[in-house]
Amino acid sequence: MQAAVLEKAPPNRPTVVLRSVPRSSPQLSRATLACSNCGMRSQCVPSGMRNEDMSEIDQMVTSRRRIRRGEHVYRAGDPFIGIFAFRTGFFKSYAESEDGRTHVTSFEMAGDISGFDGIEDGHYTQNVIALEDGEACTITFAQVDSVSTRVPGLQHYLFRVMSREIVREQGLMMLLGTMRAEARVAHFILDLARRFAARGYSSTEFNLRMTREEIGSYLGLKLETISRLFSRFQDEGLIEVQGRAIKLVDLPALHELAGEHA
Amino acid sequence: MQAAVLEKAPPNRPTVVLRSVPRSSPQLSRATLACSNCGMRSQCVPSGMRNEDMSEIDQMVTSRRRIRRGEHVYRAGDPFIGIFAFRTGFFKSYAESEDGRTHVTSFEMAGDISGFDGIEDGHYTQNVIALEDGEACTITFAQVDSVSTRVPGLQHYLFRVMSREIVREQGLMMLLGTMRAEARVAHFILDLARRFAARGYSSTEFNLRMTREEIGSYLGLKLETISRLFSRFQDEGLIEVQGRAIKLVDLPALHELAGEHA
DNA sequence: CGCCAACTTGATGGCTGTCAAGTCAGGTGG
DNA sequence: CCACCTGACTTGACAGCCATCAAGTTGGCG
């Protein structure tokens, strides 16, 4: 399944070969679960994490779970059990309001972590659903408690990951609050490119895993606006789009539009 | 100074009498600093925090700092030293982008906490400035480390506060991404009312501490739009506004506009 | 082959931004 | 005490960006 997904998305073939992983066996060995053996480690763990601390982090990951396209990792209102670190696949998080509005708050890929919204009152407030088959490592908070009292480095790790999430959301708030549609879309494309690059995929040619509507929801725009801007960017020679396949052509111009450095 | 501020803002007189506090003496006793003696405790600490854990939390607060109107608590780029719990005063947090855009991400009042944006890379990414004279308790992260290895309840506390911040930001993203101007403004007014109420102030009559421009920045709107909507809400009998004094008249209608329950 | 979701593109309208001209309130100095 | 000044606010006129509505087109899949 994982391989099939990659085949359907030729431009996203990894340029770095990642360790292949056994499929959802009911009981995985501690070594197999270990973060220190995980190809996605560099994504999960903030830079600067010491190697000595990795074995401590390994102790938290208790299980791995296979999630199919369309299946929820968790839903708003579910009791909080812990956080999820994605190993493969592609996911979206979204919130729903009382009156039925919906808003995509993030797209998760390998190495990203979800679930911090559930800590405060013991229930998740968001929904996370797979856009593509994948696997999630489960880190239950019961584990966190027992391990982290013995291990000071561990809480540091979690503080940093949560801090990163807070900063990420602040960036999105600025995008939603101050940027025009074309800047939002340019920013979105470049952000995806960076994230693919960080995982060893091409940063200039990749496949979108989400619909125009989901992009629009994420960026506070309508799907028609996304479609129109993709077309316009293509006319202007910034990108090439065909369906969900995107190729970045004029990176400086995209950065310019997104309001980044130069 | 604190009293003077309240005198200038008659509708905000507390309906609950709060303990008076000695002014910024250079060295405060541990008992004076203690959270367990603080009138704002119910705001800082998430509900459900056990009393036994309070003494542990007390150990983290190392100093208290007086901040005058217009003075920064910290700025983007400053080295991270810890988090700040506000005791009195009124503050705003804002982010600045490379190309000069600015966006207000939150307004802080007594019991709120700032500074989590600085954990990840060791530098704050936001700016926090006082809109009104106040005091901030400083919780250095050096303290957190040494205390929390002895005390498991402490990290729980911080996880919950950070989780609350993440959920808060997700709510704001939905507001910025899906709500129309009138809904944003109604939501803003009601949110302020709730927060004043939680601190023992009137929830139907209070003074804004920020300019129309700051409200606009927070809500992703222009100051003229804020002004116009305040005027319109007044014409429609939802509120009464005079300058920064606001009185909520038709709460059901405001909730309706904000898209909340009924 | 036909269906359906996803996507594209056009026409139109409205919400909100922009520009502009005041008004108001608080603070300062004469 | 009053004139003046400045920042904050209000209000009007207009424009433009993006949403809305509508009608196709495409591509994947049964």
Side-chain angles (χ1 to χ4, degrees), chain A residues 19 30-39 41 54 58 87:
Chain A
R19 162 194 318 267
R30 187 144 287 284
T32 308
L33 279 169
C35 300
S36 43
N37 287 335
C38 177
R41 183 185 60 234
M54 283 309 301
D58 284 347
R87 233 185 116 64

Side-chain angles (χ1 to χ4, degrees), chain A residues 13-29:
Chain A
R13 224 170 269 128
T15 57
V16 166
V17 176
L18 302 175
R19 162 194 318 267
S20 77
V21 187
R23 299 289 145 67
S24 57
S25 29
Q27 197 70 302
L28 294 174
S29 75

Side-chain angles (χ1 to χ4, degrees), chain A residues 95 98 101 103 116 120 126 145 148 155-156 160 163 166 169-170 172-174 178-179 260-261, chain B residues 95 98 101 103 116 120 126 145 148 155-156 160 163 166 169-170 172-174 178-179 260-261:
Chain A
E98 311 170 21
R101 281 170 292 123
H103 182 72
F116 294 116
E120 204 221 331
Q126 303 254 117
D145 286 345
S148 64
Q155 62 168 357
H156 248 129
R160 291 180 70 174
S163 172
I166 287 171
E169 289 184 358
Q170 286 166 352
L172 262 178
M173 284 168 51
M174 163 152 290
T178 71
M179 285 181 163
E260 293 169 14
H261 66 264
Chain B
E98 312 170 19
R101 280 169 293 121
H103 182 71
F116 294 115
E120 204 221 331
Q126 303 255 119
D145 286 345
S148 64
Q155 64 168 358
H156 248 130
R160 292 179 69 174
S163 173
I166 287 171
E169 289 183 358
Q170 286 167 350
L172 261 178
M173 284 168 52
M174 163 151 289
T178 72
M179 285 181 163
E260 293 168 14
H261 65 266

Side-chain angles (χ1 to χ4, degrees), chain B residues 184-196:
Chain B
R184 297 186 200 188
V185 174
H187 181 98
F188 173 75
I189 294 172
L190 289 171
D191 183 54
L192 266 188
R194 271 189 291 267
R195 294 168 71 196
F196 279 127

Side-chain angles (χ1 to χ4, degrees), chain B residues 92 104 107 129 131 209-219 223 244:
Chain B
K92 75 167 175 185
V104 174
F107 294 107
I129 190 172
L131 300 178
R209 310 299 216 275
M210 69 296 280
T211 67
R212 306 286 193 260
E213 186 169 18
E214 286 161 340
I215 299 172
S217 172
Y218 180 67
L219 297 178
L223 70 96
R244 300 205 178 171

